[in-house]
Amino acid sequence: MGGCLGSNRRESAENANSTENGSRPNSASARKNHPLCHEVIRWKSDVPLTEGQLRSKRDEFWDTAPAFEGRKEIWDALRAASVALEVADYQLAQAILDGAGISVPNGFLTECYDELGTRYQVPVYCLSYPLNIVKEGSGRDSPSELIESAVEGKEIPLKIRLSHNSHDVKLTLLTTDTIAVAKKKLQIKEGIDPCTQRWFFGGKLLGDKVHIDEIKVLPGYVIQVIINSEQYK
């Protein structure tokens, strides 16, 4: 998983030894915070999964997670942060964790603590797609391809104007993000279903497979997002 994880391996092991079955840590070192690592956790599923199967597996975990030790509001924050990480919006994910008072000793959501010292663990399958994800033949970019492009891209701040309220939204995207990924990021930030969004720049409709660096947006220019008011609530 890269140098970020390797540099924290010893600390993670110490933290794991200081807890038992999700109980509060006895060592203060287990509660040390670390900024989220800007890396995708790479792993391979024992049994190859389709995107639909992986989504079902994730939903099952998040639906039952509040039954584990810990507070529901912390589990909700961890779920929101994991969704942000899926589209490589590390800034939003960090803001969610900071707002909920969640510390991340090793830089990954696989091990977290709330302000009371309660331990939370998010399985790796909720944080990234396996390397052996099975394409479902939809003709769309596979999730793994979207993640790979996101890792290699450069951040670019853009101004997005929403049609339903005429508000401007600042959205940080990656040059290798597709419009489909950008729609998901806007959904995370504003709660707008991607299916209701139509992105325009220079009078042209931007298709889902168009990459941000292909648009050639100049500083000060605005991307128009038309929201289908009949579907949007």
Side-chain angles (χ1 to χ4, degrees), residues 6-61:
S7 64
N8 291 286
R9 188 171 297 153
R10 180 178 300 176
E11 182 178 1
S12 177
E14 293 174 351
N15 292 342
N17 291 334
S18 68
T19 61
E20 183 177 359
N21 297 325
S23 60
R24 297 180 183 178
N26 296 319
S27 171
S29 65
R31 304 185 191 182
K32 289 180 180 179
N33 201 3
H34 189 285
L36 280 174
C37 290
H38 292 198
E39 298 178 15
V40 175
I41 299 178
R42 301 179 183 277
W43 62 285
K44 184 172 288 187
S45 175
D46 293 336
V47 178
L49 301 171
T50 65
E51 181 182 5
Q53 292 171 328
L54 181 63
R55 291 288 180 188
S56 296
K57 190 176 179 68
R58 290 179 174 182
D59 289 342
E60 181 180 0
F61 172 79

Side-chain angles (χ1 to χ4, degrees), residues 155-216:
E155 288 188 349
I156 176 172
L158 296 178
K159 183 182 291 186
I160 312 297
R161 183 161 298 161
L162 307 178
S163 67
H164 71 291
N165 57 16
S166 299
H167 287 174
D168 289 348
V169 176
K170 291 182 179 180
L171 196 64
T172 300
L173 300 174
L174 299 175
T175 54
T176 47
D177 280 346
T178 61
I179 294 300
V181 172
K183 288 180 178 180
K184 291 180 181 178
K185 290 187 176 183
L186 185 60
Q187 179 188 26
I188 292 171
K189 189 165 187 177
E190 297 294 322
I192 303 173
D193 190 328
C195 294
T196 68
Q197 303 176 30
R198 288 187 298 159
W199 289 50
F200 291 83
F201 182 70
K204 295 181 179 180
L205 175 65
L206 304 177
D208 284 351
K209 291 188 176 183
V210 174
H211 289 79
I212 296 301
D213 60 353
E214 297 177 60
I215 303 173
K216 308 298 182 185

Side-chain angles (χ1 to χ4, degrees), residues 119-173:
R119 187 188 188 194
Y120 300 77
Q121 293 178 293
V122 178
V124 67
Y125 60 77
C126 287
L127 302 176
S128 63
Y129 285 87
L131 296 175
N132 56 339
I133 189 79
V134 177
K135 294 183 180 182
E136 299 181 271
S138 64
R140 301 176 182 176
D141 293 335
S142 72
S144 58
E145 289 171 343
L146 293 176
I147 292 172
E148 288 293 337
S149 66
V151 173
E152 299 170 0
K154 296 181 180 179
E155 288 188 349
I156 176 172
L158 296 178
K159 183 182 291 186
I160 312 297
R161 183 161 298 161
L162 307 178
S163 67
H164 71 291
N165 57 16
S166 299
H167 287 174
D168 289 348
V169 176
K170 291 182 179 180
L171 196 64
T172 300
L173 300 174

Side-chain angles (χ1 to χ4, degrees), residues 85-104:
L85 288 177
E86 185 177 340
V87 292
D89 194 336
Y90 300 103
Q91 183 176 3
L92 176 58
Q94 187 69 63
I96 292 172
L97 297 180
D98 293 343
I102 299 172
S103 59
V104 187

